[in-house]
């Protein structure tokens, strides 16, 4: 990398004393990023990577935002950003979305949600570089909005990932059933759960390396799929397949382009939003990268590629090649890869093995999200406990930099996947999902609101935008757009919860409503508990502490870098802002 393009090489870490502004906030343990890094580096190779019994011994324990081992490289963050959240929601959930709304609605809704997520991630990137602390956006909610609200966000987010793990394990077993339905799903659940446990022995490095290679695989596979789809649309498929003659835009005409009207639009809107769940993990991972100020901007910019390549272009071709009235989309469950439009393209194309290959891609993607569940849930649980908002046991960090107790409790939730083997198990599982069903949307909303509040407090305290090393591309206006879109998604979710499913008339059932919207009162309950615990409400802008824990930067290098960028022509400045 050109030295001029990386102006954040020589930066120091100011002490993270606390992440709250109220008087009751626990004090931060002192010690710079360099000291923490050196303390981990002093351990032997086997201990540092969790390969001996010594690695399980206590390194840190108690209150204060103690930094974890910063093992992540820029390549890890880049791939977490570009492919970290792509799983069953994209490869399989897009099939149910297509069936509900048609190709036009699918394309438009995912485009709208892409704009929303784009702004959310850039806001998160700006905050993560200023305050790269464990727990990510949860601590920003506590610091810039309301400690009670931060408490609600943290626990709801941790519980969301805890429930996601058994869901992804179940989807893995169902995906394997594409090839063999005779073997009990419990066998595959056990195998994948053991694999996740083994990978987590390597701590952050295990997650980062798995995510890097899984994202590379997803990126390559989806790129190949798009190229193949282009050929198929133009009639370049085998003669024994459906796409042997020019296919074009057959499915983009007639009333089914925007199938089921407004109801279909709202249903797909909600599905699209949940397909992006996990995008915010790059903010959590920033706290465990060696140099967030250098690596995070590049990772955040990768979001543009993931949105444009995977979601927009990929789903556009899906809308061209698969009918929204395809029986396979309508008959299989939303978690079954047989309902994946990507698998169906391979099946109908006549290209032998393409459907099997896409099913492998789905399997690896789902497995990847399962591992991310342990990472996201454990780091959030550790951070909230370090703040004094959870049991002290979850602050235990071993010599390999693993939040051991938090990892164990999240993995324990994985055994809930065996509930699906019993008669009443699926119903219990669905209600568990409902408890945290809106956690992702509230987390994104908290990021946007925290960014808006941070900018306001920053200005109030006499600072300028030039003092922010990495700025969200659309500034505070982008965060307002993201926040408004999130509110619209919540309204769409409420509408789809009270009416009958697309294609049916009348109102829905009470059970369906609570499964779709139970997460909302759960957040309010957590918020109330947080308030009763700390007795701290909405923070005034004048009370917001913008200095404690703020990372120091090499401003001489940053100004030189900005001057160089300003000298570029407009087109090159735009390219730089996106790549």
């Amino acid at each position: 990398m050109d030295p001029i393009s990386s102006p954040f090489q020589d930066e120091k870490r100011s002490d993270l004393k606390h992440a709250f502004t109220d008087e009751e906030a626990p004090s931060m343990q002192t010690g710079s990023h360099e000291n923490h890094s050196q303390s981990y580096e002093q351990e032997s190779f086997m201990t540092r990577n969790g390969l001996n019994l010594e690695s399980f011994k206590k390194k840190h324990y108690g209150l204060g935002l103690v930094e974890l081992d910063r093992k992540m490289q820029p390549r890890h963050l880049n791939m977490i950003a570009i492919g970290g959240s792509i799983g069953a929601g994209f490869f399989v959930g897009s099939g149910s979305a297509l069936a509900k709304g048609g190709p036009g609605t699918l394309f438009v809704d995912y485009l709208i949600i892409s704009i929303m997520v784009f702004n959310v991630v850039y806001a998160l990137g700006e905050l993560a570089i200023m305050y790269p602390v464990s727990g990510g956006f949860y601590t920003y909610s506590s610091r810039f909005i309301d400690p009670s609200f931060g408490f609600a966000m943290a626990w709801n987010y941790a519980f969301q990932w805890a429930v996601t793990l058994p869901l992804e394990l179940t989807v893995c077993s169902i995906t394997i059933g594409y090839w063999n339905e005779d073997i009990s799903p419990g066998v595959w659940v056990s195998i994948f759960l053991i694999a996740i446990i083994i990978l987590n022995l390597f701590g952050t490095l295990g997650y980062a390396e798995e995510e890097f290679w899984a994202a590379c695989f997803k990126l390559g596979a989806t790129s190949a799929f798009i190229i193949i789809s282009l050929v198929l649309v133009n009639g370049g498929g085998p003669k024994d397949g459906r796409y042997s003659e020019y296919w074009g835009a057959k499915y983009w005409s007639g009333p089914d382009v925007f199938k089921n009207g407004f109801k279909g639009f709202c249903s797909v809107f909600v599905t699209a939003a949940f397909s992006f769940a996990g995008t915010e993990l790059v903010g959590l991972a920033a706290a465990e990268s060696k140099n967030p100020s250098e690596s995070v901007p590049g990772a955040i910019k990768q979001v543009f590629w993931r949105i444009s390549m995977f979601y927009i272009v990929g789903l556009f071709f899906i809308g061209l090649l698969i009918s929204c009235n395809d029986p396979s989309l309508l008959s299989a469950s939303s978690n079954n890869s047989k309902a994946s439009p990507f698998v169906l393209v391979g099946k109908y194309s006549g290209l032998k093995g393409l459907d099997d290959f896409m099913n492998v891609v789905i399997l690896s993607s789902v497995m990847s999200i399962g591992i991310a569940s342990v990472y996201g849930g454990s780091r959030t649980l550790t951070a909230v406990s370090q703040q004094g908002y959870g049991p002290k046991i979850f602050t235990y960090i071993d010599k390999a930099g693993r939040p051991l107790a938090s990892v164990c409790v999240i993995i324990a939730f994985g055994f809930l996947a065996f509930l699906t083997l019993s008669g009443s198990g699926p119903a219990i599982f669905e209600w568990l999902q409902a408890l945290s069903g809106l956690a992702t949307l509230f987390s994104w909303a908290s990021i946007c609101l925290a960014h808006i509040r941070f900018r306001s407090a920053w200005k109030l305290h006499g600072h300028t935008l030039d003092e922010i090393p990495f700025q969200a591309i659309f500034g505070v206006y982008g965060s307002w757009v993201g926040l408004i879109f999130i509110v619209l998604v919540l309204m769409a979710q409420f509408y789809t919860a009270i009416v009958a499913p697309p294609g049916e008339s009348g109102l829905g059932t009470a059970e369906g409503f609570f499964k779709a919207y139970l997460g909302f009162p759960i957040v309010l309950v957590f918020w109330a508990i947080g308030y009763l615990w700390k007795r701290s409400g909405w923070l005034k802008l004048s009370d917001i502490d913008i200095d404690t824990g703020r990372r120091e930067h090499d401003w001489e290098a940053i100004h030189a870098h900005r001057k160089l960028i300003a000298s570029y022509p407009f087109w090159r400045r735009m390219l730089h802002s996106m790549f």
Side-chain angles (χ1 to χ4, degrees):
M1 181 177 292
D2 190 284
I4 298 178
S5 66
S6 303
F8 309 105
Q9 298 287 343
D10 302 315
E11 56 188 291
K12 298 179 181 179
R13 178 75 157 81
S14 57
D15 293 343
L16 286 173
K17 296 179 181 178
H18 51 74
F20 297 95
T21 57
D22 62 303
E23 295 178 355
E24 294 181 20
S27 61
M28 189 63 198
Q29 292 184 10
T30 59
S32 66
H33 150 52
E34 288 84 357
N35 290 336
H36 280 297
S37 295
Q38 291 172 4
S39 68
Y40 281 110
E41 291 298 326
Q42 289 172 358
E43 304 291 348
S44 68
F45 174 84
M46 298 294 286
T47 300
R48 204 165 60 245
N49 290 284
L51 299 176
N52 58 18
L53 293 177
E54 180 71 18
S55 68
F56 291 91
K57 293 183 179 179
K58 180 183 69 177
K59 186 74 173 181
H60 300 288
Y61 186 58
L63 301 181
L65 278 176
V66 178
E67 294 183 0
L68 304 177
D69 192 4
R70 291 176 174 264
K71 294 178 181 177
M72 287 198 189
Q73 305 289 338
R75 65 182 179 90
H76 295 137
L77 278 183
N78 284 342
M79 283 303 172
I80 289 172
I82 199 170
S85 65
I86 296 175
F90 172 64
F91 286 114
V92 182
S94 56
S96 63
L98 178 62
K100 292 174 183 176
T105 300
L106 179 73
F107 182 80
V108 172
D109 280 8
Y110 272 84
L111 181 61
I112 293 174
I113 297 299
S114 296
I115 295 171
M116 178 188 81
V117 172
F118 183 86
N119 286 294
V120 170
V121 173
Y122 262 83
L124 178 59
E126 180 178 315
L127 293 172
I129 290 172
M130 292 290 285
Y131 309 94
V133 296
S134 176
F137 57 85
Y138 144 63
T139 57
Y140 306 142
S141 297
S142 299
R143 181 170 191 155
F144 302 120
I145 304 173
D146 172 6
S148 305
F149 183 67
F151 172 88
M153 291 299 97
W155 277 103
N156 207 31
Y157 188 72
F159 189 67
Q160 173 206 348
W161 281 122
V163 176
T164 298
L165 177 59
L167 171 63
E168 299 301 324
L169 289 170
T170 303
V171 176
C172 280
S173 66
I174 295 173
T175 304
I176 289 287
Y178 182 82
W179 295 294
N180 189 329
E181 295 183 347
D182 296 331
I183 300 177
S184 171
V187 174
W188 301 115
V189 168
S190 302
I191 292 174
F192 289 119
L193 184 57
I194 292 172
I196 288 175
I197 292 173
I198 292 174
L199 276 170
N200 275 279
L201 289 176
F202 298 95
T204 300
L205 189 61
Y207 165 70
E209 285 296 337
E210 181 279 333
E211 200 60 48
F212 174 80
W213 292 109
C216 286
F217 179 57
K218 286 185 279 188
L219 176 63
T222 307
S223 300
F225 177 84
I226 289 173
I227 295 172
I228 292 172
S229 296
L230 179 61
V231 174
L232 295 177
V233 167
N234 287 282
K239 292 183 179 180
D240 58 343
R242 178 181 291 184
Y243 312 110
S244 59
E245 298 179 358
Y246 179 74
W247 194 256
K250 293 182 179 180
Y251 297 138
W252 279 74
S253 61
D256 283 342
V257 176
F258 295 95
K259 186 179 176 183
N260 293 316
F262 181 71
K263 186 185 292 186
F265 179 88
C266 289
S267 297
V268 176
F269 204 40
V270 172
T271 303
F274 287 106
S275 295
F276 284 88
T279 306
E280 69 288 341
L281 280 173
V282 68
L284 285 179
E288 294 182 65
S289 61
K290 289 188 175 181
N291 191 344
S293 295
E294 179 186 358
S295 55
V296 172
I300 294 298
K301 291 175 183 179
Q302 300 302 318
V303 173
F304 170 80
W305 285 107
R306 177 158 63 85
I307 289 173
S308 60
M309 173 78 73
F310 286 94
Y311 287 90
I312 305 304
V313 178
L315 293 179
F316 173 72
F317 279 112
I318 288 297
L320 291 174
L321 294 171
I322 300 296
S323 169
C324 61
N325 296 312
D326 190 289
S328 296
L329 296 181
L330 304 175
S331 60
S333 72
S334 59
N335 290 331
N336 196 326
S337 63
K338 292 179 180 178
S340 168
F342 293 86
V343 173
L344 293 178
V345 168
K347 182 179 178 181
Y348 298 151
S349 67
L351 294 169
K352 294 182 179 179
L354 181 57
D355 57 334
D356 293 320
F357 175 73
M358 293 311 301
N359 205 54
V360 170
V361 174
I362 293 171
L363 183 61
S364 67
S365 300
V366 173
M367 181 69 174
S368 173
I369 297 297
I371 296 170
S373 301
V374 179
Y375 178 83
S378 63
R379 269 55 181 181
T380 305
L381 190 56
T382 296
V384 72
S385 298
Q386 287 173 340
Q387 301 295 330
Y389 277 147
K392 185 179 178 181
I393 184 63
F394 295 135
T395 66
Y396 186 100
I397 300 173
D398 65 17
K399 291 188 176 182
R402 298 168 298 200
L404 201 59
S406 299
V407 168
C408 289
V409 77
I410 299 297
I411 287 178
F413 271 83
F415 289 92
L416 292 176
F418 292 104
L419 283 176
T420 57
L421 303 178
S422 66
S424 59
I428 298 173
F429 200 36
E430 287 176 1
W431 282 108
L432 283 174
Q433 286 180 263
L435 292 175
S436 60
L438 300 177
T440 297
L441 293 174
F442 280 106
S443 298
W444 291 344
S446 72
I447 292 169
C448 291
L449 186 56
H451 180 243
I452 292 168
R453 298 267 295 167
F454 159 71
R455 283 288 190 95
S456 298
W458 186 256
K459 182 179 180 180
L460 182 68
H461 285 78
H463 294 281
T464 65
L465 294 181
D466 289 336
E467 298 176 68
I468 300 176
F470 175 78
Q471 299 175 24
I473 192 169
F474 295 117
V476 70
Y477 300 106
S479 292
W480 276 113
V481 169
L483 187 60
I484 291 170
F485 278 173
I486 291 166
V487 172
L488 291 176
V489 173
L490 287 170
M491 293 170 64
Q493 174 81 339
F494 183 80
Y495 172 75
T496 57
I498 61 176
V499 299
E504 301 178 17
S505 59
L507 298 175
T509 63
E511 179 181 354
F513 173 80
F514 282 108
K515 283 183 178 179
Y517 229 74
L518 184 60
F520 184 76
I522 292 297
V523 169
L524 296 180
V525 169
F526 274 121
W527 197 346
I529 293 173
Y531 178 78
L532 293 174
W533 194 325
K534 283 291 182 181
R535 296 290 180 178
S536 177
W538 190 269
L539 296 173
K540 296 180 180 179
L541 288 179
S542 58
D543 294 334
I544 293 177
D545 177 12
I546 61 171
D547 295 316
T548 302
R550 177 154 54 94
R551 177 176 288 267
E552 297 177 5
H553 303 279
D554 183 352
W555 283 104
E556 183 177 346
I558 292 174
H559 290 316
H561 176 70
R562 288 177 174 175
K563 186 176 181 180
L564 175 66
I565 299 303
S567 67
Y568 290 162
F570 175 76
W571 65 268
R572 191 172 177 185
R573 292 199 304 271
M574 290 301 297
L575 286 177
H576 179 269
S577 67
M578 292 187 294
F579 302 105

